Amino acid sequence: MQQSPPLGSASALADDYAARGFAVRADLGQHFLRSPESARRLVDRAEIPSGGQVIEVGAGLGTLSATIAAAGHRIWAVERDERLQSQLEQRLGEFGGRARITIDDVRRVDLDQGLEAGSTLVSIMPFAPVLAAALVRHVFGSPLLVRGLVVMPVLGADLLVADEAAGLRVEEVDGIAREDFYPPAPSVLRVVAIERSRACSK
């Protein structure tokens, strides 16, 4: 198992992983956020209720997770890649009970047991469009989630818009640079706000 580099600033941390040749997993659409400024802008855009609970799918190195927690919110960071567990524990440890980490595929997690009513999804989704759209649909399968703000490939957002059965309203609210990630995103990205267009049937 690869060892986590020491903690540092968000950009230095991602660059350190790059310099050490950390093998990102293409099957997970894995990219790491390098820009603390972009993380802060995402949190500002998300309009999270004061002290509210946030779930992040694909927490990666914890850059966005830590920004959410530092803003006073409670973060549930879900990450499938077990190689990143120690890094997330280090990054989020300072926030104590305000931060929770689950290492698993979010599709195997009982969201209704972990989410509170009125929770928000704030995530950088995998940069594999079909997977990104599938994960958004899955998380919004919990009636406890009311809104989301996610970064995803344009094609992934288009898939959600076209899927009337998902019952989601998807609105582009911002863009984000491909170079804000390691490795750089392979396609154009969008920041989209997501809400239900009808009540969850679950």
Side-chain angles (χ1 to χ4, degrees), residues 116-132:
E116 299 172 1
S119 294
T120 304
L121 168 69
V122 182
S123 290
I124 297 165
M125 285 294 168
F127 291 169
V130 174
L131 177 58

PDB file of all heavy atoms in Angstrom, residues 116-132:
ATOM      1  N   GLU A 116     -29.139  13.085   7.855  1.00  0.00           N
ATOM      2  CA  GLU A 116     -30.202  13.743   8.595  1.00  0.00           C
ATOM      3  C   GLU A 116     -31.120  14.430   7.590  1.00  0.00           C
ATOM      4  O   GLU A 116     -30.719  14.762   6.480  1.00  0.00           O
ATOM      5  CB  GLU A 116     -29.610  14.786   9.543  1.00  0.00           C
ATOM      6  CG  GLU A 116     -28.667  14.192  10.577  1.00  0.00           C
ATOM      7  CD  GLU A 116     -27.958  15.268  11.372  1.00  0.00           C
ATOM      8  OE1 GLU A 116     -28.232  16.470  11.124  1.00  0.00           O
ATOM      9  OE2 GLU A 116     -27.134  14.920  12.222  1.00  0.00           O
ATOM     10  N   ALA A 117     -32.353  14.670   7.977  1.00  0.00           N
ATOM     11  CA  ALA A 117     -33.282  15.381   7.107  1.00  0.00           C
ATOM     12  C   ALA A 117     -32.721  16.761   6.778  1.00  0.00           C
ATOM     13  O   ALA A 117     -32.227  17.467   7.661  1.00  0.00           O
ATOM     14  CB  ALA A 117     -34.641  15.518   7.784  1.00  0.00           C
ATOM     15  N   GLY A 118     -32.769  17.106   5.503  1.00  0.00           N
ATOM     16  CA  GLY A 118     -32.263  18.404   5.068  1.00  0.00           C
ATOM     17  C   GLY A 118     -30.797  18.426   4.719  1.00  0.00           C
ATOM     18  O   GLY A 118     -30.211  19.501   4.577  1.00  0.00           O
ATOM     19  N   SER A 119     -30.172  17.257   4.575  1.00  0.00           N
ATOM     20  CA  SER A 119     -28.749  17.194   4.259  1.00  0.00           C
ATOM     21  C   SER A 119     -28.468  17.669   2.830  1.00  0.00           C
ATOM     22  O   SER A 119     -29.352  17.682   1.967  1.00  0.00           O
ATOM     23  CB  SER A 119     -28.236  15.762   4.437  1.00  0.00           C
ATOM     24  OG  SER A 119     -28.280  15.370   5.788  1.00  0.00           O
ATOM     25  N   THR A 120     -27.212  18.035   2.599  1.00  0.00           N
ATOM     26  CA  THR A 120     -26.768  18.572   1.322  1.00  0.00           C
ATOM     27  C   THR A 120     -25.637  17.713   0.767  1.00  0.00           C
ATOM     28  O   THR A 120     -24.747  17.306   1.521  1.00  0.00           O
ATOM     29  CB  THR A 120     -26.261  20.016   1.485  1.00  0.00           C
ATOM     30  OG1 THR A 120     -27.284  20.824   2.078  1.00  0.00           O
ATOM     31  CG2 THR A 120     -25.858  20.616   0.148  1.00  0.00           C
ATOM     32  N   LEU A 121     -25.664  17.464  -0.529  1.00  0.00           N
ATOM     33  CA  LEU A 121     -24.562  16.800  -1.222  1.00  0.00           C
ATOM     34  C   LEU A 121     -23.652  17.878  -1.794  1.00  0.00           C
ATOM     35  O   LEU A 121     -24.110  18.736  -2.549  1.00  0.00           O
ATOM     36  CB  LEU A 121     -25.101  15.924  -2.353  1.00  0.00           C
ATOM     37  CG  LEU A 121     -24.073  15.375  -3.357  1.00  0.00           C
ATOM     38  CD1 LEU A 121     -23.169  14.333  -2.691  1.00  0.00           C
ATOM     39  CD2 LEU A 121     -24.777  14.779  -4.571  1.00  0.00           C
ATOM     40  N   VAL A 122     -22.377  17.850  -1.418  1.00  0.00           N
ATOM     41  CA  VAL A 122     -21.380  18.733  -2.026  1.00  0.00           C
ATOM     42  C   VAL A 122     -20.202  17.849  -2.407  1.00  0.00           C
ATOM     43  O   VAL A 122     -19.529  17.301  -1.532  1.00  0.00           O
ATOM     44  CB  VAL A 122     -20.930  19.852  -1.069  1.00  0.00           C
ATOM     45  CG1 VAL A 122     -19.919  20.767  -1.772  1.00  0.00           C
ATOM     46  CG2 VAL A 122     -22.118  20.669  -0.578  1.00  0.00           C
ATOM     47  N   SER A 123     -19.981  17.687  -3.696  1.00  0.00           N
ATOM     48  CA  SER A 123     -18.996  16.708  -4.145  1.00  0.00           C
ATOM     49  C   SER A 123     -18.347  17.096  -5.461  1.00  0.00           C
ATOM     50  O   SER A 123     -18.955  17.787  -6.281  1.00  0.00           O
ATOM     51  CB  SER A 123     -19.648  15.328  -4.345  1.00  0.00           C
ATOM     52  OG  SER A 123     -20.030  14.730  -3.139  1.00  0.00           O
ATOM     53  N   ILE A 124     -17.142  16.607  -5.628  1.00  0.00           N
ATOM     54  CA  ILE A 124     -16.510  16.564  -6.938  1.00  0.00           C
ATOM     55  C   ILE A 124     -16.680  15.130  -7.404  1.00  0.00           C
ATOM     56  O   ILE A 124     -16.043  14.215  -6.877  1.00  0.00           O
ATOM     57  CB  ILE A 124     -15.030  16.959  -6.853  1.00  0.00           C
ATOM     58  CG1 ILE A 124     -14.920  18.414  -6.370  1.00  0.00           C
ATOM     59  CG2 ILE A 124     -14.347  16.785  -8.207  1.00  0.00           C
ATOM     60  CD1 ILE A 124     -13.552  18.795  -5.902  1.00  0.00           C
ATOM     61  N   MET A 125     -17.591  14.943  -8.336  1.00  0.00           N
ATOM     62  CA  MET A 125     -17.916  13.600  -8.781  1.00  0.00           C
ATOM     63  C   MET A 125     -16.789  13.010  -9.644  1.00  0.00           C
ATOM     64  O   MET A 125     -15.956  13.759 -10.165  1.00  0.00           O
ATOM     65  CB  MET A 125     -19.225  13.625  -9.575  1.00  0.00           C
ATOM     66  CG  MET A 125     -20.446  13.791  -8.705  1.00  0.00           C
ATOM     67  SD  MET A 125     -20.665  12.345  -7.654  1.00  0.00           S
ATOM     68  CE  MET A 125     -21.899  12.930  -6.496  1.00  0.00           C
ATOM     69  N   PRO A 126     -16.753  11.682  -9.788  1.00  0.00           N
ATOM     70  CA  PRO A 126     -15.759  11.085 -10.671  1.00  0.00           C
ATOM     71  C   PRO A 126     -15.834  11.711 -12.067  1.00  0.00           C
ATOM     72  O   PRO A 126     -16.910  12.081 -12.528  1.00  0.00           O
ATOM     73  CB  PRO A 126     -16.165   9.608 -10.712  1.00  0.00           C
ATOM     74  CG  PRO A 126     -16.930   9.390  -9.448  1.00  0.00           C
ATOM     75  CD  PRO A 126     -17.647  10.676  -9.186  1.00  0.00           C
ATOM     76  N   PHE A 127     -14.685  11.809 -12.716  1.00  0.00           N
ATOM     77  CA  PHE A 127     -14.668  12.413 -14.044  1.00  0.00           C
ATOM     78  C   PHE A 127     -14.940  11.380 -15.134  1.00  0.00           C
ATOM     79  O   PHE A 127     -14.500  11.517 -16.277  1.00  0.00           O
ATOM     80  CB  PHE A 127     -13.344  13.126 -14.277  1.00  0.00           C
ATOM     81  CG  PHE A 127     -13.178  14.351 -13.416  1.00  0.00           C
ATOM     82  CD1 PHE A 127     -11.962  14.989 -13.335  1.00  0.00           C
ATOM     83  CD2 PHE A 127     -14.233  14.865 -12.682  1.00  0.00           C
ATOM     84  CE1 PHE A 127     -11.805  16.127 -12.546  1.00  0.00           C
ATOM     85  CE2 PHE A 127     -14.099  15.991 -11.884  1.00  0.00           C
ATOM     86  CZ  PHE A 127     -12.872  16.619 -11.813  1.00  0.00           C
ATOM     87  N   ALA A 128     -15.696  10.354 -14.769  1.00  0.00           N
ATOM     88  CA  ALA A 128     -16.250   9.379 -15.712  1.00  0.00           C
ATOM     89  C   ALA A 128     -17.744   9.697 -15.768  1.00  0.00           C
ATOM     90  O   ALA A 128     -18.460   9.486 -14.782  1.00  0.00           O
ATOM     91  CB  ALA A 128     -16.009   7.959 -15.213  1.00  0.00           C
ATOM     92  N   PRO A 129     -18.248  10.267 -16.881  1.00  0.00           N
ATOM     93  CA  PRO A 129     -19.610  10.817 -16.915  1.00  0.00           C
ATOM     94  C   PRO A 129     -20.717   9.864 -16.501  1.00  0.00           C
ATOM     95  O   PRO A 129     -21.598  10.237 -15.722  1.00  0.00           O
ATOM     96  CB  PRO A 129     -19.765  11.252 -18.379  1.00  0.00           C
ATOM     97  CG  PRO A 129     -18.375  11.525 -18.838  1.00  0.00           C
ATOM     98  CD  PRO A 129     -17.521  10.509 -18.143  1.00  0.00           C
ATOM     99  N   VAL A 130     -20.697   8.636 -16.990  1.00  0.00           N
ATOM    100  CA  VAL A 130     -21.766   7.689 -16.671  1.00  0.00           C
ATOM    101  C   VAL A 130     -21.749   7.357 -15.183  1.00  0.00           C
ATOM    102  O   VAL A 130     -22.798   7.312 -14.523  1.00  0.00           O
ATOM    103  CB  VAL A 130     -21.642   6.418 -17.526  1.00  0.00           C
ATOM    104  CG1 VAL A 130     -22.661   5.367 -17.082  1.00  0.00           C
ATOM    105  CG2 VAL A 130     -21.840   6.750 -19.008  1.00  0.00           C
ATOM    106  N   LEU A 131     -20.566   7.140 -14.630  1.00  0.00           N
ATOM    107  CA  LEU A 131     -20.446   6.852 -13.204  1.00  0.00           C
ATOM    108  C   LEU A 131     -20.890   8.046 -12.370  1.00  0.00           C
ATOM    109  O   LEU A 131     -21.608   7.894 -11.375  1.00  0.00           O
ATOM    110  CB  LEU A 131     -19.003   6.475 -12.861  1.00  0.00           C
ATOM    111  CG  LEU A 131     -18.688   6.215 -11.381  1.00  0.00           C
ATOM    112  CD1 LEU A 131     -19.551   5.100 -10.827  1.00  0.00           C
ATOM    113  CD2 LEU A 131     -17.204   5.912 -11.197  1.00  0.00           C
ATOM    114  N   ALA A 132     -20.493   9.250 -12.761  1.00  0.00           N
ATOM    115  CA  ALA A 132     -20.875  10.453 -12.019  1.00  0.00           C
ATOM    116  C   ALA A 132     -22.392  10.591 -11.953  1.00  0.00           C
ATOM    117  O   ALA A 132     -22.965  10.847 -10.888  1.00  0.00           O
ATOM    118  CB  ALA A 132     -20.248  11.687 -12.669  1.00  0.00           C
TER     119      ALA A 132
END
